[in-house]
Amino acid sequence: MDAIAHHIRHEEHPTGLMRWLTTTNHKDIGTLYLWFSLTMFFFAGALAMVIRAELFQPGLQVVQPQIFNQLTTMHGLVMIFGAIMPALVGFANWQIPLMIGAPDMAFPRLNNWSFWLLPVAATLLVSSFFVPGGSMAGGWTMYPPLYIQGGISYDMTILAVHILGLSSIMGAINIIVTILNLRAPGMTMMKLPLFVWTWLITAFLLVAVMPVLASVVTMLLTDRHFGTHFFNAAGGGDPVMYQHIFWTFGHPEVYIMILPAFGIISSIIPTFARKKLFGYTSMVYAVAAIALLSFLVWAHHMFTVGMPVAGQLYFMYATMLISVPTGVKVFNWVATLWRGSISFETPMLFALAFVCLFTIGGFSGLVVSLVPVDIQLQDTYYVVAHFHYVLFSGSAMAIMGGVYYWLPKWTGHMYDEFLGQVHFWLTAIAFNITFFPMHFLGLAGMPRRIPDYALQFADFNRLSSLGAFVLGASQLIFLYVVVKCIRGGAQAGDRPWEGAESLEWTLTSPPPYHSFTVAPQVK
């Protein structure tokens, strides 16, 4: 009886505002991460709308060049650190304990703290718009010498980046300990769902590279205020050294944003193909290989800084090598689809679009891995097209697919399938209209981060801007579908997708506040 009474007390929790401020429940914290991420996604998207409005035609229409540069910098920083990464951590918080049969995350209070650091950092970052001298205009990469010369907003950015990094490291340690120590009896490492594997490897990446970012922005700070000359050429420093240290963080960061997305897609495709994932073991090794190689290719971002030919050759070949484990993953997804009994619900549509469009992004990355080609295309719109194909059709569309996939489990209601499909088709078509023409702009030599351009670039820019406005507006449908689903709708069964197999589908929809109070046995 004592045990039952204790369990009933355990099921009680604060309601209203205190529930969200003080919660240590992994589902609540996952929800907080996802809402925070969606807010930042719309904020950064609004900045992108202003950028595309400015580029709708040649000449200066909407904003001054300085403001334009501030918008591009803030758009990049907020999308990466405010939208994509918190969304993926939100999925980790919600899904990892459910998928491994754990009662919660290993360090619930640490989990609460690592979330509540995010709004503080985001406030610092966004409020830098309103300080004297305006927001930073040096690009999201924070390159010196511009970042040594700017006003107080640059210091605010550096502090915000420190806080964001602290949040990421704490979240990553929590994820590692949870996966290694709290798995259900019988769940060996090679029985983990692939989403859990991708997050385990991503968490190790985060712990490895976040301190690198912290160290390099600290060096920037001391250059700005304490008389050091790490990156200041006037005092004997080297601005290129900053690029080496930054990209030692920056390239693994790209994979931090894509590996969990691979995990989401590897959950969705087998469910709607009604087949087991093809080549599970090779998928695990491929994720590990991608993570390892990501540390060895940083200088492919720097082919134009004057490195020796031997260095260029090494980084060119190492970059091409990453396409091998990535190709293994794409092959395995396609092999999972082969002769499957496929149905095309919204999550599957996003997963299929991910496979096609991410592959295009991968190929354009292979193009710029070639040194002579990259020297031509460096800092042009071709690079903008490439990384949006990787980050939007990669990370962002995988996140949307994941939301549609697990929303019935989270809320207990089915979302509106018709509106979900409308959202998908508008997003997929508008995305390609926005970013595909940028490949041609880049090949024709249009530099990025400029508010005005020559007349010959006008037609493709107009097309891109029109696509961007539709892409932005279609995300309002996404918001509507999510809110409508939370507020009600057709009842979702415990297993709303007939092909779904991992542990979370054994719980009720929505899961109880404290899920696995008794660890399930995994056969």
Side-chain angles (χ1 to χ4, degrees):
M1 284 302 288
D2 283 352
I4 295 169
H6 174 73
H7 182 62
I8 291 168
R9 273 203 312 279
H10 215 55
E11 201 54 29
E12 292 169 3
H13 51 83
T15 52
L17 185 62
M18 286 313 287
R19 169 181 173 180
W20 299 103
L21 286 173
T22 61
T23 182
T24 53
N25 183 282
H26 72 97
K27 303 181 195 70
D28 284 354
I29 292 170
T31 305
L32 286 168
Y33 268 108
L34 289 166
W35 277 115
F36 172 81
S37 155
L38 193 63
T39 308
M40 292 289 105
F41 179 65
F42 276 108
F43 173 72
L47 302 183
M49 296 298 97
V50 181
I51 291 167
R52 286 316 318 174
E54 178 55 63
L55 294 171
F56 188 74
Q57 60 191 47
L60 293 177
Q61 279 79 239
V62 186
V63 289
Q64 291 303 307
Q66 174 73 0
I67 303 288
F68 182 88
N69 289 343
Q70 292 173 17
L71 292 171
T72 53
T73 300
M74 187 66 82
H75 168 73
L77 278 169
V78 173
M79 272 295 183
I80 290 169
F81 294 112
I84 301 286
M85 285 177 65
L88 294 169
V89 179
F91 277 106
N93 265 294
W94 250 104
Q95 291 307 125
I96 288 173
L98 298 184
M99 285 178 150
I100 64 174
D104 206 313
M105 296 295 277
F107 305 120
R109 288 197 175 113
L110 187 73
N111 206 10
N112 174 290
W113 192 33
S114 58
F115 171 75
W116 283 110
L117 285 174
L118 282 182
V120 175
T123 306
L124 253 180
L125 198 57
V126 172
S127 58
S128 67
F129 263 127
F130 307 105
V131 296
S135 176
M136 58 283 156
W140 80 272
T141 50
M142 303 183 273
Y143 277 2
L146 266 177
Y147 257 75
I148 297 172
Q149 299 156 0
I152 189 176
S153 62
Y154 291 75
D155 302 318
M156 293 169 75
T157 308
I158 289 168
L159 182 56
V161 165
H162 268 297
I163 298 171
L164 290 162
L166 187 62
S167 164
S168 295
I169 290 170
M170 293 193 305
I173 291 170
N174 210 346
I175 287 166
I176 292 168
V177 176
T178 303
I179 295 170
L180 295 183
N181 292 346
L182 297 185
R183 302 194 305 282
M187 182 171 276
T188 61
M189 292 301 281
M190 293 315 274
K191 284 183 187 166
L192 289 177
L194 206 75
F195 175 77
V196 180
W197 258 116
T198 55
W199 247 116
L200 178 63
I201 290 166
T202 301
F204 277 108
L205 279 181
L206 276 166
V207 172
V209 302
M210 277 300 169
V212 177
L213 178 64
S215 66
V216 81
V217 295
T218 304
M219 290 156 86
L220 266 184
L221 196 66
T222 61
D223 272 13
R224 285 170 57 77
H225 296 295
F226 300 107
T228 58
H229 295 286
F230 292 113
F231 311 126
N232 187 351
D238 184 3
V240 174
M241 181 171 78
Y242 174 90
Q243 296 188 32
H244 278 292
I245 304 172
F246 178 84
W247 287 114
T248 304
F249 148 81
H251 201 76
E253 168 67 17
V254 174
Y255 293 97
I256 286 165
M257 290 187 283
I258 202 66
L259 291 181
F262 288 168
I264 293 171
I265 298 306
S266 301
S267 302
I268 294 173
I269 287 179
T271 297
F272 294 98
R274 289 163 184 79
K275 273 177 69 186
K276 275 203 160 351
L277 184 67
F278 180 89
Y280 169 88
T281 309
S282 63
M283 289 288 253
V284 172
Y285 285 121
V287 175
I290 291 169
L292 194 64
L293 288 169
S294 74
F295 286 103
L296 309 177
V297 297
W298 75 90
H300 69 205
H301 297 268
M302 302 167 51
F303 281 147
T304 55
V305 301
M307 70 171 78
V309 173
Q312 290 180 329
L313 280 171
Y314 161 74
F315 284 107
M316 178 168 86
Y317 293 138
T319 303
M320 290 178 175
L321 197 58
I322 286 197
S323 61
V324 177
T326 310
V328 167
K329 302 188 81 58
V330 174
F331 173 82
N332 285 11
W333 288 323
V334 173
T336 307
L337 294 167
W338 178 251
R339 306 186 80 167
S341 173
I342 302 173
S343 60
F344 296 97
E345 285 89 347
T346 310
M348 186 59 156
L349 291 175
F350 274 102
L352 294 174
F354 171 95
V355 174
C356 300
L357 298 175
F358 177 77
T359 304
I360 293 173
F363 275 128
S364 62
L366 210 49
V367 169
V368 288
S369 72
L370 295 158
V371 176
V373 177
D374 182 81
I375 288 169
Q376 288 293 316
L377 296 176
Q378 176 84 10
D379 268 333
T380 67
Y381 262 76
Y382 191 90
V383 179
V384 178
H386 157 66
F387 70 67
H388 281 92
Y389 266 85
V390 174
L391 278 184
F392 191 94
S393 67
S395 300
M397 284 175 84
I399 288 165
M400 291 169 195
V403 168
Y404 283 113
Y405 180 58
W406 281 302
L407 202 56
K409 174 54 68 184
W410 295 343
T411 62
H413 304 293
M414 290 306 290
Y415 61 87
D416 187 320
E417 183 64 42
F418 172 74
L419 282 178
Q421 302 222 1
V422 170
H423 169 233
F424 166 75
W425 285 110
L426 279 174
T427 299
I429 293 165
F431 167 78
N432 283 293
I433 292 172
T434 306
F435 294 107
F436 205 79
M438 291 184 187
H439 291 101
F440 304 123
L441 287 168
L443 289 166
M446 179 174 165
R448 61 180 176 163
R449 296 187 189 149
I450 53 166
D452 189 12
Y453 51 84
L455 200 56
Q456 73 256 32
F457 302 132
D459 291 345
F460 277 139
N461 265 303
R462 190 170 295 118
L463 190 60
S464 267
S465 288
L466 290 170
F469 298 144
V470 176
L471 182 62
S474 59
Q475 302 322 306
L476 295 170
I477 301 173
F478 180 51
L479 178 64
Y480 177 73
V481 172
V482 170
V483 172
K484 184 180 173 196
C485 180
I486 291 168
R487 296 183 67 170
Q491 202 62 35
D494 293 349
R495 197 183 296 267
W497 315 120
E498 133 198 8
E501 286 196 334
S502 44
L503 272 181
E504 75 266 33
W505 306 106
T506 61
L507 292 163
T508 56
S509 298
Y513 191 72
H514 293 284
S515 17
F516 296 102
T517 45
V518 177
Q521 283 288 336
V522 176
K523 297 281 185 292

